[in-house]
Amino acid sequence: MASNPDWNEGVGDPGPQATQPVATLVSRCLLDLYQLAIGSRIGEFEDQLFTLLREYVAFDGAWFGRSTMMASGPIMHNNYTCDLGDDFVSDWERVKADDPLVSLVTDERRNPAIVSMADDLSGPFRSFCGKYDLAQLMCSVAVDPVLKLWTHLSLYRNGLVPRYSERDIEMMRHLMPHFAAALNLNRVHHVERMQMAAQGPRTAVAICDGRGVIQYADSAFADLMLMEWPQWGGGTLPANLNHALLVEGVAAFVGTYTTLRAERIADLFVIQARPPCALDLLTPKELSVVRLFGEGLTYKAVARRLGNSPSTVRHHLRRAYAKLRIQNKGEIAWLLNAPEVTNPLRADGSESADRSETLSTVQIISSQSQ
């Protein structure tokens, strides 16, 4: 078989795929892509996507991410890079106003768009490309018309030859919408696995970036958010919730109608929401003591299990009894087996007030024990 003139050893060997129809290659790639989306965890999926794509398009480095397009340029929400170094995205942020690919995909609607070091690049962007040895840059995008999120995949080659071929361009044009869809599918399946593994009542789930911009949410999440924040317009977490969970890193945000917790996975946050229960008023250490004591352990046994002194255990238990307004181990057992109980008591022992006081009485349970 004759070798492909658009390929060299620097970016890989196409093998027999070089002569196969693009439609055949796309179909084969999609079968593997959606299997990866369903079977992989967040973060693992992106790494495996890069490996899969290398079977069809040669590249030396890649950047897969999501953003919101503003007049000042893209606001990045999450990023995954391949063979580019830890500082790549932060360095790009400094020169993004000079990145010609941004205007090519937004203003001129080229998809994919390609530039190279042979083009007339601005000084800052040329220096950026030189630092990362980027000679050819190809960017493909897919836009979510509802969430207004841009998913992009940029592929980089270190040399000016071989050039990106028409086959490469056609492959990326067909594959890019599926890469964005597979990313969504991966998030949905991750959430479903979490819900199946969760104990107690079913939780509502959303996935957001570090700015609180929601990437995915199930319908139950929106319902709970609107109960707590009737004026909530969607799209991002409410400011006070975002600050508590993502900035201060509190263990739980407990409102009158909703309790929310955040777990960081890669560069995203999984937000779990459910109706509140009385146990939400306890700190993590108080809850640990209550759970073990409710299982029938003695003060000394709980102390050994947690590595505390018996007096510390008694202190946490007294605080828990006061917050929950209970007096004995039997009531603890009842609470532990009734997580669906809503309308929790406030820290001062009174019951939740009417809906108009929701925002002023939201309690934040710190991840640091008191």
Side-chain angles (χ1 to χ4, degrees):
M1 186 195 316
S3 62
N4 186 339
D6 285 333
W7 215 286
N8 73 4
E9 294 181 358
V11 289
D13 181 0
Q17 302 198 71
T19 59
Q20 295 183 20
V22 169
T24 299
L25 298 179
V26 169
S27 296
R28 183 183 304 161
C29 181
L30 295 184
L31 289 174
D32 292 333
L33 174 67
Y34 285 108
Q35 285 296 320
L36 291 178
I38 294 172
S40 305
R41 295 182 179 277
I42 294 175
E44 295 175 355
F45 166 70
E46 290 77 8
D47 290 338
Q48 293 171 355
L49 184 149
F50 292 137
T51 301
L52 173 64
L53 183 56
R54 272 197 163 121
E55 298 178 19
Y56 300 92
V57 180
F59 58 89
D60 296 302
W63 176 20
F64 189 38
R66 271 201 164 144
S67 61
T68 299
M69 195 62 64
M70 309 294 289
S72 59
I75 304 299
M76 300 308 305
H77 301 308
N78 50 291
N79 304 278
Y80 301 89
T81 60
C82 175
D83 297 332
L84 291 173
D86 295 338
D87 297 329
F88 179 85
V89 176
S90 59
D91 285 345
W92 175 85
E93 288 282 357
R94 299 185 186 96
V95 300
K96 69 180 180 181
D98 297 294
D99 186 345
L101 290 169
V102 175
S103 60
L104 288 175
V105 299
T106 56
D107 300 335
E108 299 187 26
R109 301 294 180 182
R110 297 189 194 179
N111 194 15
I114 299 175
V115 299
S116 78
M117 288 290 275
D119 297 328
D120 183 19
L121 304 178
S122 71
F125 192 73
R126 180 174 291 276
S127 297
F128 167 77
C129 292
K131 176 179 179 179
Y132 290 96
D133 198 19
L134 310 180
Q136 295 183 76
L137 305 83
M138 176 167 64
C139 179
S140 305
V141 299
V143 184
D144 186 316
V146 177
L147 296 177
K148 307 299 182 185
L149 290 174
W150 290 61
T151 304
H152 83 269
L153 178 55
S154 294
L155 304 180
Y156 307 111
R157 289 181 178 175
N158 298 151
L160 289 173
V161 291
R163 300 183 307 275
Y164 285 114
S165 67
E166 288 301 321
R167 283 173 63 87
D168 296 330
I169 294 171
E170 187 177 359
M171 283 289 295
M172 291 306 298
R173 185 176 293 127
H174 288 299
L175 288 174
M176 191 61 213
H178 293 281
F179 290 151
L183 187 65
N184 291 336
L185 182 63
N186 175 253
R187 279 36 177 168
V188 171
H189 275 264
H190 183 90
V191 166
E192 290 178 347
R193 286 193 295 269
M194 289 185 63
Q195 291 174 329
M196 290 177 63
Q199 298 179 350
R202 180 179 176 86
T203 58
V205 180
I207 297 175
C208 69
D209 68 2
R211 295 184 176 90
V213 177
I214 295 173
Q215 311 284 304
Y216 167 80
D218 59 25
S219 57
F221 184 85
D223 291 341
L224 285 171
M225 293 294 286
L226 287 170
M227 288 179 65
E228 195 69 46
W229 293 274
Q231 305 304 315
W232 181 64
T236 60
L237 299 180
N240 56 343
L241 175 63
N242 181 78
H243 184 78
L245 291 183
L246 309 189
V247 178
E248 294 186 353
V250 301
F253 185 102
V254 184
T256 302
Y257 294 96
T258 309
T259 292
L260 301 102
R261 298 178 184 273
E263 175 188 2
R264 182 159 194 160
I265 299 178
D267 64 346
L268 296 172
F269 289 87
V270 176
I271 311 296
Q272 299 188 60
R274 59 170 173 77
C277 69
L279 295 176
D280 291 331
L281 296 175
L282 306 182
T283 67
K285 285 195 174 181
E286 289 166 356
L287 182 58
S288 297
V289 169
V290 164
R291 288 190 184 284
L292 293 174
F293 199 64
E295 292 175 7
L297 274 66
T298 64
Y299 289 114
K300 291 184 179 180
V302 173
R304 285 195 298 269
R305 182 78 65 88
L306 298 179
N308 298 136
S309 66
S311 61
T312 299
V313 169
R314 288 190 179 90
H315 170 73
H316 288 312
L317 198 59
R318 281 196 300 269
R319 290 180 60 86
Y321 275 14
K323 289 180 180 181
L324 301 175
R325 295 198 301 179
I326 59 176
Q327 298 179 352
N328 57 60
K329 188 179 294 187
E331 291 178 285
I332 288 180
W334 182 85
L335 281 174
L336 291 174
N337 289 288
E340 72 282 3
V341 176
T342 59
N343 195 26
L345 306 177
R346 293 183 181 153
D348 63 4
S350 63
E351 295 186 357
S352 300
D354 61 31
R355 182 65 187 83
S356 64
E357 296 184 17
T358 297
L359 296 182
S360 63
T361 60
V362 166
Q363 298 161 18
I364 298 174
I365 308 302
S366 172
S367 59
Q368 303 296 322
S369 62
Q370 298 181 1

